[in-house]
């Protein structure tokens, strides 16, 4: 199964992708996570991406496309994957189409999580991430068992620099201007499945499962 996960920042893509990957035995490919890992290790890619990410802007298309080309070659992706955070612009989607064709692969579906802006701001300002494994929590909706500590590996929880009010507002604007046109792009290809992203994490996952059972 090969999927794309679309949705605004904070819609729950990472949260739901984790469940999908576990149950359907596929791999999550999150461009945001890959960029953050590169920043942590101080790579050239990480340094190039840093200022864009902190301001809530998109990293330039060519950087992302070169990165994803390398990622898609990895053998562990043979069992299937979910692209979380890619594509995010029409040029990225067109490049992905080209890549898929070259590799003789097809995408099965595009899942689109829909959540209103006020709720997104609430989710992002109280999100905390594990420094070691990247698992995400919410201080109120999805708290860790022990404050400040990851349930999975005991790692320290931190707040992302772009999860502050100003970059959040910018990310929402960027999503509207640059990523929302992709919804039409995939509707026209008959691949889009819209899912209401408001409600309990489990309820939303059930709706996703209903979609996945039909594809
Ligand atoms: P990225 O890391 O992809 O961030 P994002 O798209 O902004 O998405 P998030 O990770 O913030 O949100 P999410 O939907 O995964 O939500 P989550 O599940 O954590 O990108 C970061 C940056 O990298 C970009 O701004 C850009 O600079 C760069 N970048 C990445 N890809 C790029 C690309 N392709 N091109 C160019 N630049 C790129 O949930 C959010 C919170 O809500 C959590 O606290 C969670 O616990 C909680 N929550 C989840 N579900 C629910 C629910 N149902 N009810 C209540 N709370 C919930």
């Amino acid at each position: 199964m090969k999927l794309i996960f679309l949705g605004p920042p904070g819609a729950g893509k990472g949260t739901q992708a984790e469940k999908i990957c576990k149950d359907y035995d596929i791999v999550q490919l999150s461009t945001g996570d890959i960029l953050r890992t590169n920043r942590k290790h101080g790579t050239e890619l990480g340094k190039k991406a840093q200022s864009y990410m902190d301001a809530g802007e998109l990293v330039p298309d060519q950087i992302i496309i070169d990165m994803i080309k390398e990622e898609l070659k990895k053998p562990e992706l043979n069992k299937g994957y979910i692209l979380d955070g890619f594509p995010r612009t029409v040029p990225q989607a067109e490049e992905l189409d080209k890549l898929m064709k070259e590799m003789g692969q097809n995408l099965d579906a595009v899942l689109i999580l829909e959540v209103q802006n006020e709720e997104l701001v609430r989710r992002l300002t109280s999100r905390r991430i594990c420094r070691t494994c990247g698992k995400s929590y919410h201080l109120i909706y999805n708290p860790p068992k022990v404050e400040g500590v990851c349930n999975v590996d005991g790692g320290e929880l931190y707040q992302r620099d772009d999860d502050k009010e100003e970059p959040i507002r910018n990310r929402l604007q960027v999503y509207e201007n640059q990523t929302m046109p992709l919804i039409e792009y995939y509707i026209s290809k008959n691949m889009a499945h819209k899912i209401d992203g408001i409600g309990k994490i489990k309820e939303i996952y059930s709706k996703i499962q209903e979609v996945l059972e039909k594809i």
Side-chain angles (χ1 to χ4, degrees):
M1 190 158 54
K2 298 184 182 68
L3 307 168
I4 291 178
F5 221 156
L6 270 186
K13 303 180 296 293
T15 304
Q16 298 293 341
E18 188 190 322
K19 292 178 173 295
I20 297 170
C21 289
K22 198 166 154 219
D23 288 354
Y24 294 84
D25 193 25
I26 61 173
V27 176
Q28 177 190 10
L29 193 58
S30 156
T31 41
D33 286 348
I34 298 166
L35 292 168
R36 277 184 290 278
T37 303
N38 274 276
R39 286 181 59 170
K40 194 166 138 188
H41 295 120
T43 68
E44 274 312 302
L45 171 61
K47 284 179 197 155
K48 280 186 203 160
Q50 185 158 344
S51 60
Y52 299 101
M53 293 176 80
D54 287 346
E57 297 290 339
L58 293 185
V59 176
D61 283 339
Q62 200 52 52
I63 297 180
I64 297 291
I65 289 164
D66 291 345
M67 179 180 102
I68 212 85
K69 272 184 186 164
E70 288 308 307
E71 291 293 326
L72 287 174
K73 285 182 197 158
K74 293 189 173 163
E76 61 265 31
L77 266 65
N78 289 342
K79 59 183 183 176
Y81 51 81
I82 181 160
L83 299 177
D84 167 5
F86 177 88
R88 248 173 159 103
T89 62
V90 172
Q92 289 183 17
E94 290 170 345
E95 193 61 34
L96 178 64
D97 286 347
K98 258 198 256 168
L99 273 174
M100 289 279 123
K101 211 167 164 190
E102 280 167 25
M103 294 191 296
Q105 294 185 3
N106 283 313
L107 290 164
D108 296 295
V110 178
L111 309 178
I112 303 162
L113 267 186
E114 297 186 307
V115 178
Q116 291 71 34
N117 281 4
E118 318 82 79
E119 172 68 5
L120 295 170
V121 173
R122 262 197 298 276
R123 288 186 187 180
L124 291 173
T125 46
S126 296
R127 173 167 63 180
R128 296 294 181 269
I129 312 273
C130 173
R131 226 176 252 295
T132 347
C133 72
K135 186 174 168 59
S136 102
Y137 297 88
H138 188 279
L139 295 180
I140 298 151
Y141 301 139
N142 183 24
K145 288 179 189 142
V146 178
E147 197 186 322
V149 179
C150 177
N151 293 349
V152 180
D153 62 7
E156 180 203 4
L157 303 186
Y158 79 104
Q159 183 174 32
R160 271 169 46 178
D161 285 336
D162 60 349
D163 278 350
K164 312 264 164 70
E165 189 97 15
E166 205 183 317
I168 290 174
R169 296 273 170 210
N170 199 26
R171 285 157 69 198
L172 296 176
Q173 197 59 52
V174 165
Y175 179 77
E176 210 172 304
N177 298 341
Q178 301 193 52
T179 308
M180 276 184 75
L182 286 185
I183 298 177
E184 283 309 313
Y185 183 88
Y186 287 115
I187 288 176
S188 72
K189 287 177 179 283
N190 231 351
M191 292 170 73
H193 300 266
K194 291 188 180 179
I195 296 150
D196 181 2
I198 299 278
K200 296 213 169 81
I201 292 171
K202 268 188 187 168
E203 293 163 359
I204 296 159
Y205 185 55
S206 299
K207 290 186 223 164
I208 292 174
Q209 283 179 304
E210 277 172 34
V211 171
L212 296 182
E213 273 156 28
K214 286 185 205 141
I215 61 170

